[in-house]
Amino acid sequence: MRWIDRGPEPDEVDQYADRYTQGWVDYFQNRAGERPTDFLWTLFRTTLGHQSNGNCWYCERQCNPEVAGRDATVDHFRPISLFPHLAYAWSNWIFSCQGCNAEKGNKWPDSEYVDPCARVAAERPGQYLDYDADTGEIISREGLSESARRKALNTIHDLGLNRLDVRFYRLQWTRQFLTDLLSLPVSERLAFAQFITQQPVEYAGVTGMVVEQLRLDGCI
């Protein structure tokens, strides 16, 4: 997971919010009426996806409708069943693969989750999450407070960030990156690392974590 700039809110979002939010509030909060059938946030799926070149904002894999569990969806970061007033909140929409969306479901722990679009720098994914290059696992950063560690671990577990298939391809990617990087002269490694991590490629966030580890080890 890496930080994503969601981009400016399209004008139409406010119009849909004014018209349709109350129906979700009535159903989930006021226990009145039938479950709404409007899902107009899907109209903005492509707009959101452009911000990451079609990569899921949670697991960082390329969304692909031809692969099971990889179709692109719009997830409500704070679940619509618990926060119906945010059904049409631009700030609550996450471009997500179907697998991550399904794993997260309607869960919302007291610790909350790491927000891939957090506005405050101190709350962004890189402040909570790290990467084990030997196992391919997303892990919590060292030195976190107990509450921050719980937030990181709940995010990893509840979003399925270490699902076997995700972990396999993530490890494959980072091993190839390391092979390519370390084959270069030391003087060229930093430029190569910066080039890769600045691209909207799969696992860019994880790659950035690997780069930071190598920098601390004096390899770049």
Side-chain angles (χ1 to χ4, degrees), residues 10-42:
D11 294 337
E12 301 90 337
V13 175
D14 270 346
Q15 300 172 24
Y16 292 143
D18 290 342
R19 182 172 180 180
Y20 296 108
T21 299
Q22 189 60 47
W24 292 96
V25 172
D26 286 342
Y27 181 76
F28 281 115
Q29 185 171 302
N30 300 331
R31 308 300 178 187
E34 297 182 356
R35 184 185 177 96
T37 57
D38 50 272
F39 302 96
L40 298 178
W41 45 82
T42 61

Side-chain angles (χ1 to χ4, degrees), residues 181-194 218-220:
L181 179 73
L182 298 178
S183 69
L184 296 171
V186 175
S187 60
E188 298 178 14
R189 292 176 183 174
L190 181 59
F192 176 74
Q194 290 176 335
C219 296
I220 58 174

Side-chain angles (χ1 to χ4, degrees), residues 21 23-31 35-36 39 41 75-88 92 101 104-108:
T21 299
W24 292 96
V25 172
D26 286 342
Y27 181 76
F28 281 115
Q29 185 171 302
N30 300 331
R31 308 300 178 187
R35 184 185 177 96
F39 302 96
W41 45 82
D75 176 54
H76 286 81
F77 183 63
R78 289 173 172 79
I80 195 170
S81 60
L82 301 175
F83 303 88
H85 61 288
L86 298 178
Y88 282 93
N92 195 42
N101 197 335
K104 179 170 169 284
N106 293 318
K107 296 188 287 290
W108 189 253

Side-chain angles (χ1 to χ4, degrees), residues 126-147:
Q127 303 301 313
Y128 289 90
L129 306 175
D130 210 339
Y131 178 66
D132 187 327
D134 292 325
T135 66
E137 292 180 303
I138 301 296
I139 58 177
S140 61
R141 285 183 64 92
E142 294 185 359
L144 295 177
S145 66
E146 181 55 34
S147 61

Side-chain angles (χ1 to χ4, degrees), residues 159-194:
L159 272 65
L161 297 185
N162 288 329
R163 300 192 301 276
L164 186 59
D165 59 329
V166 177
R167 183 175 157 190
F168 174 81
Y169 289 109
R170 184 167 57 214
L171 186 58
Q172 190 175 57
W173 162 265
T174 54
R175 283 179 173 172
Q176 185 61 56
F177 168 75
L178 282 168
T179 297
D180 294 342
L181 179 73
L182 298 178
S183 69
L184 296 171
V186 175
S187 60
E188 298 178 14
R189 292 176 183 174
L190 181 59
F192 176 74
Q194 290 176 335

Side-chain angles (χ1 to χ4, degrees), residues 1-6 48-62 94-95 114-118 123-130 138 155 161 170 196-209:
M1 187 188 292
R2 68 184 178 94
W3 182 71
I4 297 287
D5 181 354
R6 190 181 277 105
L48 292 165
H50 279 323
Q51 299 301 104
S52 61
N53 197 32
N55 296 318
C56 173
W57 296 0
Y58 292 136
C59 72
E60 298 194 277
R61 293 188 302 177
Q62 182 73 32
I94 301 289
F95 183 78
V114 177
D115 185 353
C117 301
E123 292 298 316
R124 293 175 181 174
Q127 303 301 313
Y128 289 90
L129 306 175
D130 210 339
I138 301 296
T155 300
L161 297 185
R170 184 167 57 214
I196 293 295
T197 54
Q198 290 171 2
Q199 303 303 308
V201 297
E202 288 185 296
Y203 311 117
V206 165
T207 306
M209 295 173 189

